[in-house]
Amino acid sequence: MLEDAGIKTLILHSDHLFDYTDLNVALFPIDIQLVSETGPVQPFQTIQPINAQDAAYLMYTSGTTGQPKGIVVNQQNIVKLSQETNDMAILPEDRVMQWANFAFDGSTYEIYNTLLNGATLLLIQSKDAAQPSQLAKIIAEQKLSVCIFTTSLYTDI
């Protein structure tokens, strides 16, 4: 996927994440703990104006052929997702659980719709995601107003 996407630089949390001897990319291992202890991180400065058709991120599907396929999600897609919500609008006063794994496209609704509408996003630990009793406890303790689950989770409740 790195080769397919044309990645030239990779910032990663651990230099043990990859056997990078075969990769043709510049690697920058960072210590997330150290970065957070040194103070606030300066925001990125845009070099060029961003327009609606510019890529926001690249998501890979598993692909029906078994070969991952990269799908470009542009800025306009994210704005449309967060602004044209029809029956399920997230409001600034909402507290939303990010239940979907960030590698799953369903997480884009939880993340972008929440943050772009000024609501609060609660991240949970992956070990809690499939535990209905733990999820119920988190929902009550954190006073969450929006949680999006797959129907298979409800069969365990």
Side-chain angles (χ1 to χ4, degrees):
M1 288 189 290
L2 290 172
E3 187 177 306
D4 179 65
I7 301 298
K8 293 179 178 43
T9 304
L10 183 62
I11 300 172
L12 55 149
H13 173 64
S14 170
D15 59 357
H16 303 291
L17 186 61
F18 293 103
D19 173 14
Y20 46 80
T21 55
D22 294 346
L23 297 178
N24 190 22
V25 296
L27 296 172
F28 294 95
I30 61 170
D31 184 339
I32 304 250
Q33 189 70 26
L34 180 62
V35 170
S36 65
E37 290 174 1
T38 60
V41 176
Q42 296 300 314
F44 291 102
Q45 293 185 0
T46 304
I47 297 170
Q48 298 177 315
I50 297 172
N51 69 52
Q53 298 308 314
D54 286 339
Y57 63 89
L58 182 62
M59 177 178 287
Y60 274 83
T61 67
S62 59
T64 55
T65 63
Q67 177 68 30
K69 178 181 177 186
I71 305 295
V72 175
V73 178
N74 65 29
Q75 303 291 330
Q76 182 177 0
N77 297 138
I78 294 172
V79 171
K80 183 176 172 69
L81 176 72
S82 64
Q83 300 301 311
E84 297 177 21
T85 56
N86 298 325
D87 295 332
M88 192 166 164
I90 293 188
L91 306 173
E93 60 270 17
D94 280 322
R95 294 178 53 80
V96 181
M97 176 188 291
Q98 184 192 341
W99 180 76
N101 183 302
F102 69 89
F104 173 61
D105 65 344
S107 71
T108 59
Y109 181 85
E110 295 168 335
I111 296 167
Y112 292 111
N113 199 358
T114 300
L115 299 179
L116 290 174
N117 285 300
T120 301
L121 183 66
L122 178 81
L123 307 178
I124 63 169
Q125 295 185 28
S126 59
K127 65 180 177 68
D128 295 332
Q131 302 295 323
S133 60
Q134 186 61 20
L135 288 172
K137 181 179 173 185
I138 292 169
I139 291 167
E141 287 175 354
Q142 297 296 322
K143 298 179 176 40
L144 296 175
S145 56
V146 178
C147 301
I148 304 166
F149 302 120
T150 59
T151 54
S152 62
L153 184 67
Y154 291 107
T155 61
D156 294 334
I157 296 177

